[in-house]
Amino acid sequence: ANLTGSASVSMERSEFDRVHVFASRARLQFGDGRMRVDSMRLETSAATVTADGSLGLHAGIADSLRFDATVDSLGGLRPFLETRTALTTGTPDSLAGALSITGMLTGNLDSLNVRGQIFGSSLYRNEDRGASARGVVALDNILGIPRGTVGFELDTLVLGGVRVDTIGAELQLSTRTSGTFQLGALSDNGPTFAAAGAVARDSSRWTVTVQSVGLNLGSDAWTLAAPAAIRIEPALTAVDTLRLINGRGG
């Protein structure tokens, strides 16, 4: 059976999980196995999202929907970026900077894919800062078993008082709860860092298995002696023995 007709959706001011939702609207049409979004604007304290286009409602009918999301200030994302210190002391984190996401959903509700680009500028969080950020998202079957790549790069950073030229990372998802990662960093005065491994989620716990590390400090090159696991739970982060060695056995 085909769904046909049209709908207008409106939301008045409300709050959801500490995010304020302002007056928002969408106009939708249904027919020929598709949902067409004539216009959509969702405005919240976290981000403003707009979208237009169409998506298939069942297998065999594919279409595309374009979306844009704008974060005017990282302060709007405070509920998602809150540190443990802020939670325990009640002192808000200091947040600033802007983000934008532009992308496309393609396919249908049985097989939905997303491609997108992320841009950030003047990012600041509790004295850590980055001049710019770029990211890419390329995931298939996001409503089922997602597969694909998420990557990002941050430039001109100060982290814990240390100046870093570039940090980049890539996550390759093979299932909804597992994948592999690569991470690299280059500092202003020459040292470089690279790491790779695997990630997996079991219930509320994430396990990060670090399989390789390379750290170059001038003439010294350090590598990982053996794979190490990092277990991340809501109230605890545990690190197995993580030992680096150099050519002199240190």
Side-chain angles (χ1 to χ4, degrees), residues 129 131 154-159 161-167 185-193 216-217:
R129 67 190 70 204
L154 299 168
D155 291 330
T156 316
L157 303 111
V158 177
L159 300 174
V162 178
R163 292 185 177 276
V164 181
D165 181 68
T166 304
I167 289 179
L186 172 67
S187 71
D188 276 348
N189 56 359
T192 62
F193 171 82
N216 293 305
L217 301 171

Side-chain angles (χ1 to χ4, degrees), residues 25-186:
R25 286 171 174 73
R27 292 204 313 269
L28 313 174
Q29 293 190 47
F30 301 89
D32 300 322
R34 290 175 170 82
M35 177 186 72
R36 176 172 178 77
V37 180
D38 290 330
S39 66
M40 188 200 82
R41 181 180 178 86
L42 173 63
E43 189 172 352
T44 74
S45 58
T48 299
V49 181
T50 60
D52 63 84
S54 301
L55 289 175
L57 295 176
H58 50 76
I61 296 179
D63 218 314
S64 60
L65 181 145
R66 184 183 64 85
F67 65 87
D68 294 284
T70 302
V71 177
D72 291 329
S73 171
L74 290 190
L77 299 178
R78 191 178 308 279
F80 313 105
L81 300 177
E82 203 163 31
T83 61
R84 187 169 297 177
T85 299
L87 285 171
T88 56
T89 65
T91 302
D93 293 299
S94 181
L95 299 168
L99 288 172
S100 65
I101 305 171
T102 300
M104 188 82 70
L105 292 170
T106 61
N108 51 63
L109 298 184
D110 285 333
S111 179
L112 191 62
N113 313 313
V114 62
R115 300 291 185 270
Q117 294 183 308
I118 305 168
F119 301 96
S121 61
S122 303
L123 305 176
Y124 181 89
R125 184 192 189 203
N126 297 338
E127 298 186 0
D128 292 335
R129 67 190 70 204
S132 64
R134 296 179 299 277
V136 294
V137 178
L139 296 173
D140 295 333
N141 196 22
I142 60 175
L143 300 181
I145 301 176
R147 287 182 170 84
T149 303
V150 178
F152 74 89
E153 185 176 286
L154 299 168
D155 291 330
T156 316
L157 303 111
V158 177
L159 300 174
V162 178
R163 292 185 177 276
V164 181
D165 181 68
T166 304
I167 289 179
E170 182 178 281
L171 174 64
Q172 184 78 35
L173 283 177
S174 53
T175 72
R176 182 177 290 278
T177 58
S178 63
T180 59
F181 71 89
Q182 297 182 39
L183 175 68
L186 172 67

Side-chain angles (χ1 to χ4, degrees), residues 214-244:
L215 176 63
N216 293 305
L217 301 171
S219 59
D220 288 332
W222 298 77
T223 58
L224 188 66
I230 303 171
R231 295 175 179 84
I232 304 170
E233 300 180 20
L236 175 68
T237 298
V239 182
D240 286 352
T241 302
L242 198 158
R243 180 168 172 252
L244 299 179

